[in-house]
Amino acid sequence: MTAPFHGWMKRGIVASPLVGLPLGLALKLYGTEAAANLAWMVATLPVLAKLAFDILVSLRRSEFGLDIAAALSMSAALLVGESLAAAIVALMYAGGQYLEAFAEGRAQRDMTALLSRRPVRAMRFDGNGLREVSAESIAPGDRLLIRQGDVTPVDGLIRKGIARLDLSALTGESLPVHREIGAEIPSGASNIGEAFELVASRAAKDSAYAGIVRMVEAAQRSKAPMSRLADHYALGFLAITVALAGLAWSASGDAVRAVAVLVIATPCPLLLAVPVALVAGMSRAARHGILVKGAQVIEGLAGIRTIVLDKTGTLTEGRLRLAGIELAEPPVCDETTLLRLAASLDQASPHVAARALVDEARDRGLSLAVPEAVSETAGEGISGYVEGLHLALGGWNFVTGLIALPDAAGRAQGQDGVPIVAVAIDGRFAGKILLSDRLRDGAGDVLGQLRSLGVKRVLLATGDQPKIAAAMTAGLPFDAVHADQSAADKVAIVKAEQRYGPVMMVGDGVNDAPALAAATIGTALGTHGSTASAETAGMVLLVDSLDRLPLALQIARRAREVALQSVFAGIGLSLLGMAAAAMGWLTPVQGALLQEGIDVAVVLNALRALSD
C-alpha cells in the first residue's frame, strides 16, 4: 500500500469506535443493553480486522510486532462479554494510530516543505527568445532566466545580473544573500530580487536540490532502530502479559481479571512514543539546516563518541586561492602557460584545488582548452592531455609517482603549511602552484563544544602533507592528526576508532565518501561538497558552518532522551496498572480508560522533541 493510503487508513479507522462508542452508551442509557453491546462489538470489529490484517502481513515478513498484544486484548474482551472495554481499546488503538499520523505529519512539515518547493518549470533562452520548459529537460550550458519569485531549477553560475536569494528552505538561514556574476547558485534557491540569468552547470537530476529531495524521501521512509528493538522484544513482552493474565485468572477464577490485565498491557506507548520523538528530532534538525536521512541516524547521533574530520572544505573554508607559482629550473614554460594548462585539465575535476585554479585562470582572462583522456584519483591528483601535452597535477606523491625528478630540489613542497599543486608536463617536472586556505571561523570553539557534549576523541584525517596539517591545526584540541591520507587510509582510521565507540566522519569530497560510508554516522557538508559524499552520508549540513555539528548532537540527544522518557513512563505506568488489574482493583473498562490516558500523555510528551 502507498504511504498516502496508510495515512488515510490511520485516520479513517478511528471513525468506527468514535461513532460506535457513544452510540452504545446512548443505547445503554435508554435501557437497551443488548443493543449497546452489539454497537460496541460492531465498533470494535473493523479495528480488530485491520489489526489482524497488519499482523498477518508482518508475520509473512517474519516480523513479530507488539500489535499482537492489542489484538489479543480486544479479542479477549469480546469473548468474555466486555464489549465496552473492547470498544475503548479499539478507540485507544485507532486513536493512537491517528495521533501517530498527526504527530509525524507535524514533525515532518519542515522536511516536506523541501519536496513541495521542487521546481518543475523554467524559462530557457532558445535562439532570440524565451521558452518555458520542464526542469528535467535542462542540460548543462543552457541559459535560464530566473524571474522574481522563481526557484532555481538546477545548479548554475550567474551570467548576468545580481541575485538576491532566499536560501532558508535549504540552509535554515532566514536572512537573504546576494550573489554576483560568476557566483555558483544551488538549485532550490528562491529569487526574491530582480530577474537574473543563470547558466546551468548540472542537469536537474544531478543538482544539489534533487539530491536533497532524494535524501528527504529516504528519511521519511525510515524506521528507527528503537522501534525495531521494541518489535524484537515483543514476544517477551507478550509472554509476560499472558503469564500475568493467566496468573490473575488462575488465582481468582475470574476471566475478567485476565482481560483487564490484557487491556492495560496494550503497548501503545512503546509503539508510538519512539517514532514520534525521533521524527520530531529530524524535523527540528531540518529547521536548522541539518538534513538527517532517517530516524535511525538521530538515534545513532546521540551515542557518538569519536569524530573524525577532513581538513579541506571541512575544518577549513575550502575556498582555496592562488598564492604563487614556482617554476622548475630550468623552466619548462612560463607562469601564465603553466596556470592555463593546469586549469584546462582541472576543468574535469570537482576538487576544491581544481576550482581555485580554474577560477584564477578565468579571472585573468585566460582561454582554457578542452582536456582529453582524463583520469583522476580522488583526493590525490589528475592526469590527461591538453593541446597534445600530457599533464599530471595534484599532490606531491601523486606527481612524483609518475615522473622521475632529476634532483631533490622540489622536495621543499608545502613549506610553512602552504598547500601546493605539483605539475608535470610530458614527463618533466614543470613547477608548483602554491595555494592558500583559511581555517573556519570558530573551529576551535566548535571542537570545544563537541568535547562538552561527551565526544571523547576528535581526530583530523587529511590528504595534505604533514607540514600543512600541522600548521592548520596548531592550538586546536585534536587527539591525533593524520596527514598524507588516501581514501583507503581514512576508512582504516574510521574502523580503528570504532573500538572506542560509535564514530562520526565529517567530510565533503569524493575521497571522503568511503569513510563516510564506513562510519557509524557519516556527515557531509552539502552546500559545497560533492554529490558522492552528500548521498553517502547519513547527515548533511546544508549550512556551510561547523557550528551545526554540536547542534545536531544536542538535537539527537534530546530526541532520544524524550523517547526514552516516554517509553519508560508509559510502560512503567502500564505495569502498575497491570498489577492493579491482576489484584482485581481495576475493571477492564477502567483499565482501558487508564491506558488511553497514558497513550495520549506519552505522545504529547514525545512531541517535546520538536521544541528548541
Side-chain angles (χ1 to χ4, degrees), residues 309 314-315 440 443 446 506 525 541 544-550:
L309 294 166
T314 303
L315 184 65
R440 287 184 183 272
V446 168
V506 186
L525 274 70
L541 306 184
D544 193 24
S545 174
L546 279 181
D547 64 6
R548 293 304 194 272
L549 272 182

Side-chain angles (χ1 to χ4, degrees), residues 30 36 46 51 91 102 117 183 217 219 221 275 342 348 350 363 395 444 468 511 521 528 538 566 589 602:
Y30 278 100
L51 185 53
L91 179 62
F102 171 79
R117 286 170 48 88
E217 290 172 337
R221 292 192 299 265
D363 289 345
I468 299 173
N511 61 316
I521 302 294
H528 296 292
S566 299
V589 171
V602 297

Side-chain angles (χ1 to χ4, degrees), residues 389-448:
L389 300 172
H390 183 265
L391 267 73
L393 55 144
W396 186 255
N397 290 339
F398 176 81
V399 173
T400 56
L402 299 176
I403 64 173
L405 290 179
D407 53 50
R411 291 193 176 274
Q413 40 82 24
Q415 65 269 31
D416 300 322
V418 178
I420 65 111
V421 175
V423 183
I425 300 176
D426 279 345
R428 297 173 59 193
F429 176 66
K432 296 175 293 186
I433 300 175
L434 310 182
L435 303 172
S436 62
D437 196 2
R438 192 164 69 92
L439 198 68
R440 287 184 183 272
D441 292 336
D445 293 337
V446 168
L447 298 182

Side-chain angles (χ1 to χ4, degrees), residues 314-347:
T314 303
L315 184 65
T316 64
E317 291 180 346
R319 299 183 180 93
L320 296 175
R321 297 290 183 267
L322 188 69
I325 297 176
E326 295 182 3
L327 297 177
E329 292 293 343
V332 175
C333 60
D334 58 39
E335 290 187 6
T336 300
T337 301
L338 184 70
L339 175 61
R340 185 179 65 82
L341 292 174
S344 295
L345 179 61
D346 262 343
Q347 292 177 102

